[in-house]
Amino acid sequence: MTGAERHTDSDGMADGLERLWTPHRMTYISGEDRPAEGYEKPTGCPFCRGPQLPPEESLVVARGEHVFVVLNLYPYNPGHLLVCPYRHVADYTDLDVPETTELASYTQSAMRVIRKVSNAHGFNLGMNQGGVAGAGIAAHLHQHVVPRWGGDANFMPVIGRTKVLPQLLGDTRDLLARAWPS
């Protein structure tokens, strides 16, 4: 089995689980790629640095005047996007009116584009405000746009504890960027 292995218990009996190894995620989990100055300052924030990189490297899908849309590097589902203000701000209440308006508009566009290219059946939208609320990068506000399909919480993630992403992130970014309205 490529990229997978089976484990046995102390009696030599298979435990019935197949493990697909994703060692690239350990960098995120361990915080190895966390900048020395942390995410609190714009110089260490990937949402501040990302828009300055080439699209293939940053995974930026679309750019507005006040916000941009980026593919999540650690997606819950294929096509998981983040809508972020350019300004380094942590709390939704700190957005000004133009930022709030464009964030809402780009969230709607993200949903339309994902529906167009992948026929999503539904969406989870949300913002985790603060580390205690689950924000991995609490210092820079970001709106999650997670596409959902009937059966996407099938046996693989529920029983197999494995998430299947059928497309490379760069290919997903290209597909979504091409479909984004100009």
Side-chain angles (χ1 to χ4, degrees):
M1 289 182 288
T2 305
E5 72 181 48
R6 293 193 184 275
H7 284 252
T8 55
D9 63 19
S10 59
D11 297 328
M13 300 296 294
D15 64 8
L17 296 177
E18 207 174 295
R19 285 150 178 93
L20 299 175
W21 299 107
T22 55
H24 65 280
R25 287 199 45 84
M26 187 50 70
T27 301
Y28 173 72
I29 293 166
S30 68
E32 288 176 34
D33 63 346
R34 184 177 296 246
E37 64 272 21
Y39 297 133
E40 289 70 30
K41 297 184 182 187
T43 55
C45 176
F47 297 135
C48 290
R49 291 190 329 257
Q52 299 166 16
L53 301 171
E56 320 74 59
E57 203 176 319
S58 69
L59 299 177
V60 170
V61 171
R63 298 169 188 270
E65 184 179 343
H66 304 286
V67 304
F68 65 97
V69 178
V70 63
L71 196 62
N72 191 332
L73 189 56
Y74 304 102
Y76 300 141
N77 264 350
H80 178 171
L81 295 174
L82 303 172
V83 183
C84 308
Y86 289 110
R87 191 163 61 97
H88 189 80
V89 59
D91 199 88
Y92 185 67
T93 61
D94 292 335
L95 292 178
D96 61 28
V97 172
E99 289 168 328
T100 303
T101 302
E102 195 170 77
L103 188 128
S105 173
Y106 271 60
T107 299
Q108 290 175 329
S109 291
M111 292 172 65
R112 288 183 187 110
V113 167
I114 293 169
R115 277 192 187 114
K116 179 179 178 182
V117 302
S118 64
N119 197 29
H121 300 151
F123 292 89
N124 289 117
L125 304 175
M127 291 181 212
N128 300 327
Q129 294 284 264
V132 299
I137 301 175
H140 196 128
L141 177 87
H142 50 284
Q143 166 81 34
H144 291 262
V145 181
V146 182
R148 301 298 306 268
W149 294 269
D152 69 6
N154 61 20
F155 74 95
M156 287 299 282
V158 175
I159 296 170
R161 296 186 212 140
T162 302
K163 185 55 115 174
V164 177
L165 299 173
Q167 191 173 48
L168 295 173
L169 292 177
D171 294 343
T172 303
R173 190 219 73 86
D174 292 345
L175 183 68
L176 294 169
R178 280 193 305 271
W180 199 270
S182 26

